[in-house]
């Protein structure tokens, strides 16, 4: 295995008596596109927040490129970028001002930052709106602006929480291609998603979390084992969706026009 | 349907109270307690009034009470009605349901009434009732009191609805976010205008100001609804049947105005809401064509970000309201009083300088903390970004500090210098004043940043209220304690050592006596060793100002690194 870009060692997060994350250990090597799946409330966002310095784990250690996120947060944060599912950006800044803010924080030289921003704006079709206040952007545009800010400093690891939510098909395709390209160039991407096709198509390895615990971890082939099951089948089997399926059948049976 | 909708609102209120944090419920309980205390106080006053009364005096008193009720309803009700009519989050949902718009309107109307107007009804009706029983007035008084005390708030609410539904069509939709601020300003102007009505409409002459023994209040014109209410109550007290006409007139006016407002439902409510919601996403060019891309230090950029936020949202300017009022009152007092610039110029420059510095420090203590706290609370939903970025808490705090300090420092310094020119200070006084302000005020801003980090609150519709109750109280107390402490070494340098005798006269026990004897001892020491006391005072002053600033920056930085939680109350209510 290549040198680890992200290493989670026995991390847990407890809220009172509720264990949101329970002894999670994952190692993501450099250049890997790692998919993190799980049903709603399984602990995906909690885990990502702990990895990005937003939530302190109750137990365990998190290392980014060998730097402990909670012992040396500044060094670790210089290596990462995070795009949440609903990024609340500074709405009273224009796109350019936001980029300038990020460039200043990361100490990127002006010329380099400007060139990079122009490329990213073009890629995400934001160029014509970059002089407008972010508050006037649609959700998808805000998502793309957050991605622009995240990619500006060439991070070693990018954490993305539901990155395709709100994106139009073209932008979603651009993002998928970009993430693949970034990983091929050595960047590590840790992505949480509900869209199983994305995980199946793009990810090198997949981790499935349920009730705060890792239920499965491996490549698609490793998860399938001997069977020819799809990721959806594996996911539903691991996350115990049988009862819901039964309920859907019952509800559909109760309707006169049910198939 | 109205009942169903009201039932839903009641259940939501119940669940909100059940799920509120203990702190929120405690603050509500405190507010309730204060209202009850006020009510008991009012009841105590009215029951100790003499039972024999002067009809003219009572009528004037009633009319001013009703004017205050209407004024309060307009002042607080106009922005509140705007929230109910156009900013409630549930409207997007309700308008998709098969519910008549008029039903939604009436629910909002009732909600608006069951708020400040209902509270004002209680605090006018109950003391009125108590007074009636105490003075043994005629039985007509009680039904008249009920109708009048209900009709006056109802009139206020109806007027607030008319104002909102009218203005919403005049103000451009793209300014929707700022409309709330406009409503607050409009309500302020209206109330000011209303309180000027008796002055404007009463012809000066003999008898116009004689109704009260003090002769200070002009009579209220008879055609105003406040006068109808007052006249109805005084007639009813005496058992005069003529009370019926103004009572019924007032009730009809309140009901008529309310129904007239409801007639504007389609035009004013539904289409106004649509217009505002269409306007929300209009393009907003920042006009930065031909920009040059520059990269600054993170600390500077954080400060600039805050400045852009303030500059681009009129709502943020509400934070300056107390500041503006303070200047208006101070300016008014200065020009309207018996003093004049010429009289002030006669003052010893040391005295006038001290007075101006004291005023400036009062402004800093009052304003700096709340401004800088708002810089932290404004992060609200975007706190995640600061946590993810490679910034230390102290860097973030410093970024917010420099801008939140500079914003009040510049105008106050300009005012200080203007005062200095008018009062004929020597140049050294100007410089000393600026240095003093520049050294004392940053710690107040740092204190505000720390307070914002421990108890920030964010509601975009209410930008002047960015702190939870307890932290804001703590900040206020600490600000004044800090200013008073820093003034001790300053005064020790400024006050001549020869004044020791003056303090010795006051010296003794208690806080004042103790302070005076301490001051006397220090001044005695200054008399014998002036250089030592002056140098020591300067050192203590620098330690206090710089030390406090650094300490609060450090505490704020640590708190930011631990993770700040900005409470975000529902902007709907």
């Amino acid at each position: 295995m290549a040198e680890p870009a992200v290493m989670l060692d026995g991390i847990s997060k407890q809220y009172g008596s509720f264990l949101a994350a329970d002894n999670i250990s994952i190692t993501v090597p450099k250049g890997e596109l790692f998919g993190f799946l799980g049903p709603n409330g399984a602990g995906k966002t909690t885990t990502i927040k702990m990895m990005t310095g937003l939530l302190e784990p109750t137990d365990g250690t998190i290392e980014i490129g060998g730097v402990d996120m909670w012992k040396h947060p500044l060094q670790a944060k210089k290596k990462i970028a995070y795009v949440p599912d609903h990024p609340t950006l500074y709405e009273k800044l224009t796109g350019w001002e936001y980029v300038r803010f990020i460039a200043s924080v990361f100490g990127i030289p002006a010329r380099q930052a400007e060139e990079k921003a122009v490329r990213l704006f073009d890629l995400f079709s934001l160029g014509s709106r970059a002089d407008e206040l972010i508050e006037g952007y649609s959700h998808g545009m805000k998502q793309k602006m957050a991605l622009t800010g995240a990619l500006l400093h060439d991070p070693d690891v990018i954490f993305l929480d539901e990155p395709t939510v709100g994106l139009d098909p073209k932008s979603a395709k651009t993002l998928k291609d970009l993430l693949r390209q970034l990983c091929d160039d050595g960047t590590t991407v840790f992505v949480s998603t509900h869209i199983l096709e994305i995980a199946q198509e793009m990810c090198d390895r997949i981790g499935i979390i349920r009730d705060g615990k890792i239920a499965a971890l491996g490549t698609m082939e490793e998860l399938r084992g001997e069977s020819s099951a799809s990721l959806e089948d594996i996911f539903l089997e691991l996350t115990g969706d049988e009862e819901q399926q039964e309920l859907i059948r019952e509800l559909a049976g109760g309707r006169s026009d049910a198939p | 349907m109205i009942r169903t909708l009201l039932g839903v609102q009641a259940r939501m209120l119940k669940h909100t109270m059940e799920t509120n944090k203990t702190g929120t419920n405690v603050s509500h309980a405190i507010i309730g307690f204060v209202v009850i205390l006020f009510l008991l106080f009012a009841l105590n006053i009215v029951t100790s009034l003499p039972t024999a009364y002067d009809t003219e005096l009572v009528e004037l008193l009633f009319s001013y009470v009703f004017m205050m009720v209407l004024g309060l309803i307009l002042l607080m009700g106009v922005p509140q009605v705007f929230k109910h009519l156009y900013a409630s989050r549930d409207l997007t949902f309700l308008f998709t349901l098969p519910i008549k718009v008029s039903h939604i309107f009436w629910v909002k109307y009732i909600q608006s009434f069951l708020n400040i107007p209902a509270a004002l009804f209680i605090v006018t009706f109950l003391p009125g009732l108590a007074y009636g029983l105490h003075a043994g007035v005629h039985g007509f008084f009680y039904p008249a009191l009920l109708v009048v005390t209900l009709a006056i708030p109802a009139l206020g609410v109806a007027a607030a609805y008319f104002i909102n539904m009218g203005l919403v069509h005049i103000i451009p939709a793209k300014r929707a976010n700022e409309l709330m601020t406009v409503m607050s300003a409009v309500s302020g102007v209206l109330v000011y205008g209303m309180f000027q009505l008796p002055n404007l409409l009463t012809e000066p002459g003999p008898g116009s100001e004689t109704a009260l023994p003090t002769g200070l209040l002009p009579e209220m014109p008879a055609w105003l609804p406040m006068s109808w209410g007052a006249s109805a109550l005084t007639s009813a007290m005496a058992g005069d049947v003529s009370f019926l006409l103004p009572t019924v007139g007032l009730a009809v006016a309140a009901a008529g105005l309310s129904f007239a407002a409801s007639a504007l439902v389609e035009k004013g409510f539904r289409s106004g809401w649509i217009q505002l919601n269409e306007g929300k996403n209009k393009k907003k060019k920042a006009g930065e064509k031909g920009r040059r891309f520059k990269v600054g230090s993170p600390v500077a950029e954080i400060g600039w970000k805050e400045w852009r936020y303030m500059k681009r949202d009129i709502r943020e300017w509400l934070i300056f309201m107390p500041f503006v009022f303070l200047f208006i009152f101070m300016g008014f007092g200065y020009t309207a009083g018996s003093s004049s610039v010429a009289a002030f110029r006669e003052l010893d420059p040391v005295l006038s300088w001290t007075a101006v510095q004291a005023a400036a420090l009062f402004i800093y203590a009052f304003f700096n903390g709340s401004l800088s706290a708002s810089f932290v609370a404004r992060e609200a939903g975007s706190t995640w970004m600061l946590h993810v970025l490679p910034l230390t808490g102290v860097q973030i705090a410093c970024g917010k500090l420099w801008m939140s300090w500079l914003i009040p420092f510049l105008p106050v310094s300009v005012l200080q210098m203007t005062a200095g020119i008018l009062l004929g200070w020597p140049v050294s006084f100007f410089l000393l004043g600026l240095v003093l302000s520049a050294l004392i005020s940053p710690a107040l801003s740092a204190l505000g940043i720390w307070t914002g980090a421990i108890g920030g609150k964010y509601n975009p519709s209410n930008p002047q209220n960015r702190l939870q109750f307890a932290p804001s109280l703590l900040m206020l107390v600490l600000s004044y304690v800090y200013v008073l402490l820093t003034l001790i070494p300053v005064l020790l340098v400024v006050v001549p050592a020869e004044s020791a005798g003056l303090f010795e006269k006051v010296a003794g026990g208690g806080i004042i006596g103790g302070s005076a004897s301490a001051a006397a001892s220090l001044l005695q020491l200054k008399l014998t060793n002036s250089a030592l006391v002056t140098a020591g005072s300067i050192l203590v002053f620098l330690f206090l100002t710089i030390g406090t600033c650094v300490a609060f920056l450090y505490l704020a930085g640590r708190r930011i690194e631990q993770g700040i939680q900005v409470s975000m109350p529902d902007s709907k209510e």
Side-chain angles (χ1 to χ4, degrees):
Chain A
M1 193 184 247
E3 74 180 273
V6 181
M7 202 181 79
L8 276 73
D9 185 13
I11 61 160
S12 301
K13 182 70 190 173
Q14 191 146 10
Y15 297 102
S17 60
F18 174 65
L19 207 53
D22 186 5
N23 196 25
I24 295 174
S25 295
I26 303 172
T27 302
V28 183
K30 189 168 180 277
E32 184 172 87
L33 207 165
F34 186 86
F36 200 41
L37 312 181
N40 295 332
K44 298 189 296 293
T45 302
T46 303
T47 309
I48 288 191
K49 281 186 170 176
M50 288 193 283
M51 288 192 273
T52 50
L54 288 169
L55 263 183
E56 190 165 8
T58 315
D59 212 356
T61 53
I62 297 162
E63 285 183 9
I64 307 289
V67 180
D68 190 307
M69 172 55 88
W70 288 93
K71 282 188 185 144
H72 308 286
L74 288 196
Q75 287 101 307
K77 285 174 186 178
K78 279 181 186 161
K79 293 172 182 282
I80 66 159
Y82 170 52
V83 180
D85 50 351
H86 289 92
T88 312
L89 304 176
Y90 293 125
E91 304 237 316
K92 292 287 175 191
L93 298 187
T94 65
W96 272 112
E97 285 169 350
Y98 175 68
V99 165
R100 176 185 153 158
F101 174 72
I102 298 290
S104 301
V105 168
F106 282 96
I108 309 168
R111 194 179 175 141
Q112 188 189 324
E114 186 173 15
E115 283 171 6
K116 186 79 187 278
V118 168
R119 284 210 305 275
L120 289 166
F121 283 159
D122 284 345
L123 186 70
F124 291 125
S125 313
L126 284 173
S128 62
R129 305 284 300 271
D131 274 322
E132 288 173 29
L133 299 184
I134 292 172
E135 70 177 1
Y137 291 6
S138 66
H139 171 71
M141 287 174 70
K142 285 179 187 168
Q143 191 87 0
K144 290 191 273 187
M145 184 52 71
L147 283 164
T148 303
L151 296 170
L152 198 69
H153 68 286
D154 295 320
D156 294 343
V157 185
I158 306 173
F159 293 96
L160 301 159
D161 199 352
E162 300 289 350
T164 51
V165 171
L167 293 187
D168 57 70
K170 181 174 168 262
S171 302
K173 174 79 171 76
T174 305
L175 177 65
K176 284 191 274 182
D177 292 346
L178 177 69
L179 292 181
R180 192 61 266 170
Q181 184 61 49
L182 285 169
C183 289
D184 293 345
D185 292 345
T187 307
T188 309
V189 176
F190 192 104
V191 56
S192 104
T193 181
H194 275 119
I195 304 170
L196 301 178
E197 290 80 12
I198 291 180
Q200 190 163 354
E201 279 171 29
M202 293 169 54
C203 296
D204 299 315
R205 279 196 314 147
I206 289 162
I208 298 177
I209 184 170
R210 186 194 173 187
D211 297 334
K213 287 182 183 153
I214 295 295
L217 184 68
T219 61
M220 264 313 291
E221 287 69 33
E222 286 167 349
L223 293 178
R224 272 195 200 113
E226 296 296 307
S227 74
S228 58
S230 67
L231 183 57
E232 187 179 15
D233 297 329
I234 299 165
F235 181 83
L236 293 177
E237 189 190 323
L238 286 168
T239 56
D241 209 39
E242 273 307 301
E243 281 177 30
Q244 284 97 321
Q245 292 298 322
E246 185 57 38
L247 193 64
I248 291 166
R249 277 193 289 276
E250 272 179 34
L251 284 170
R255 280 174 57 129
S256 57
D257 56 348
Chain B
M1 186 52 74
I2 292 176
R3 264 181 65 181
T4 310
L5 288 172
L6 284 174
V8 169
Q9 294 293 337
R11 274 193 292 280
M12 286 202 300
L13 181 68
K14 182 172 167 268
H15 296 317
T16 306
M17 284 165 76
E18 283 166 358
T19 53
N20 267 346
K21 283 182 186 165
T22 320
T24 315
N25 282 337
V26 168
S27 358
H28 288 165
I30 291 171
I31 293 168
F33 184 66
V34 170
V35 171
I36 291 170
L37 271 186
F38 174 78
L39 205 57
L40 289 174
F41 178 68
L43 288 173
N44 187 286
I45 285 182
V46 295
T47 49
S48 56
L49 287 174
T51 48
Y53 51 85
D54 175 347
T55 312
E56 270 188 37
L57 178 69
V58 169
E59 189 168 337
L60 190 68
L61 197 69
F62 279 144
S63 60
Y64 272 91
V65 166
F66 295 144
M67 189 168 78
M68 280 174 66
V69 169
L70 270 179
L72 274 173
I73 289 176
L74 285 181
L75 195 65
M76 295 190 256
V78 171
Q80 195 184 50
V81 165
F82 175 76
K83 272 197 260 182
H84 281 148
L85 276 186
Y86 304 112
S88 285
R89 289 184 193 169
D90 60 349
L91 285 173
T92 318
F93 172 59
L94 290 176
F95 280 143
T96 62
L97 297 177
I99 302 172
K100 280 184 186 171
V101 182
S102 60
H103 287 186
I104 301 172
F105 173 85
W106 279 113
V107 170
K108 297 289 168 194
Y109 196 92
I110 293 166
Q111 266 185 289
S112 304
F113 191 86
L114 294 176
N115 212 294
I116 290 160
L120 287 171
F121 160 70
I122 292 167
V123 297
T124 47
F125 177 72
L126 289 183
L129 194 66
Y131 180 70
L133 293 169
H134 167 70
V137 296
H138 194 273
F140 287 164
F141 174 74
Y142 304 105
L145 179 72
L146 181 68
V147 174
V148 170
T149 49
L150 265 177
I152 294 280
L155 262 181
V157 176
Y161 268 77
F162 264 113
I163 292 163
N164 270 284
M165 291 197 289
L167 280 179
V168 89
H169 285 280
I170 299 169
I171 292 160
K174 65 179 180 184
R175 311 301 297 184
N177 277 335
E178 288 91 355
L179 205 55
M180 192 65 191
T181 315
V182 175
M183 290 302 174
S184 302
V186 165
S187 57
V189 170
L190 278 173
V191 171
Y192 179 77
M194 201 176 76
F195 276 84
Q196 289 303 317
L197 274 181
N199 284 324
L200 296 170
L201 299 173
T202 309
E203 286 293 320
S208 65
E209 290 186 347
T210 53
L212 277 182
T214 55
L216 285 175
L217 292 173
E219 277 185 48
M220 193 81 69
W223 56 270
L224 287 173
M226 296 81 91
S227 301
W228 299 2
S231 148
L233 292 187
T234 42
S235 304
M237 282 165 96
D240 186 346
V241 191
S242 66
F243 86 92
L244 275 173
L245 188 65
T247 309
V248 173
L250 203 56
V252 168
L257 208 60
S258 303
F259 279 98
S262 80
L264 287 177
V265 137
E266 264 311 317
K267 194 84 188 122
F269 178 32
R270 172 96 168 135
S271 63
W273 182 83
I274 291 168
Q275 188 180 323
L276 287 185
N277 283 276
E278 277 173 353
K280 223 168 184 174
N281 292 323
K282 285 268 164 69
K283 281 186 184 180
K284 223 174 179 182
K285 288 272 182 189
E288 280 206 27
K289 293 290 173 201
R291 99 201 94 75
R292 273 181 58 231
F293 194 88
K294 284 186 282 183
V295 172
S297 83
V299 170
E301 271 305 310
I302 291 171
W304 285 120
K305 169 183 86 68
E306 301 300 334
W307 167 245
R308 290 183 185 116
Y309 253 75
M310 286 210 78
K311 168 176 98 161
R312 290 175 183 167
D313 193 342
I314 301 174
R315 291 174 300 175
E316 297 280 341
W317 300 2
L318 276 181
I319 195 120
F320 293 104
M321 287 274 265
F323 199 50
V324 171
F325 276 118
L326 207 67
F327 276 114
I328 290 172
F329 289 138
M330 282 167 81
F332 185 75
Y334 183 75
T335 52
S338 54
S339 324
S340 66
V341 175
F344 267 95
R345 281 189 73 102
E346 301 292 312
L347 275 179
D348 182 345
V350 175
L351 278 180
S352 65
W353 180 86
T354 311
V356 170
Q357 298 317 310
L361 288 179
F362 172 76
I363 293 169
Y364 286 129
F366 181 74
F367 187 68
N368 276 40
S370 48
L371 181 74
S372 51
S374 79
F375 277 29
V376 180
R378 191 184 301 133
E379 290 293 340
S382 24
T383 40
W384 68 272
M385 206 187 303
L386 290 180
H387 287 303
V388 169
L389 294 174
L391 292 167
T392 63
V394 171
Q395 273 180 309
I396 296 168
C398 286
K400 290 176 183 293
L401 176 82
W402 77 265
M403 183 54 82
S404 65
W405 167 77
L406 194 65
I407 290 174
F409 181 73
L410 289 177
V412 174
S413 298
V414 168
L415 285 169
Q416 264 179 296
M417 286 200 275
T418 314
I421 293 166
L422 290 172
L423 300 169
W425 295 345
V427 178
S428 58
F429 278 38
F430 282 96
L431 291 175
L432 192 61
L434 288 181
V435 169
L436 263 186
S437 295
L439 282 169
I440 293 179
S441 55
L444 292 163
S445 299
L447 166 64
I449 288 168
W450 172 70
T451 324
I454 60 164
K457 186 165 89 172
Y458 182 74
N459 178 350
S461 308
N462 199 3
Q464 73 275 41
N465 185 8
R466 291 271 168 90
L467 274 177
Q468 292 167 36
F469 179 68
S472 70
L473 201 66
L474 179 71
M475 187 183 73
L476 200 71
V477 172
L478 287 179
S479 294
Y480 283 103
V481 167
Y482 162 78
V483 167
L484 289 175
L485 282 177
T486 53
L487 281 180
I488 295 172
V490 173
L491 290 173
L492 216 52
V493 173
V494 175
V495 175
E498 293 73 28
S499 320
L502 276 174
F503 289 95
E504 272 164 5
K505 282 181 193 164
V506 195
I511 294 175
I512 295 173
S515 310
S517 59
S521 311
L522 286 167
L523 287 172
Q524 282 291 353
L525 188 65
K526 190 180 173 184
L527 205 59
T528 55
N529 201 337
S530 173
L532 179 76
V533 172
T534 307
S537 302
I538 292 171
L539 277 178
V540 170
F541 175 75
L542 290 175
F543 175 75
L544 271 175
T545 51
I546 299 171
T548 310
C549 184
V550 170
F552 277 114
L553 270 181
Y554 172 74
L555 287 174
R558 265 189 52 179
R559 185 69 195 202
I560 290 169
E561 277 166 15
Q562 283 163 2
I564 48 171
Q565 289 285 328
V566 178
S567 133
M568 292 169 74
D570 194 346
S571 62
K572 173 179 73 142
E573 288 308 325

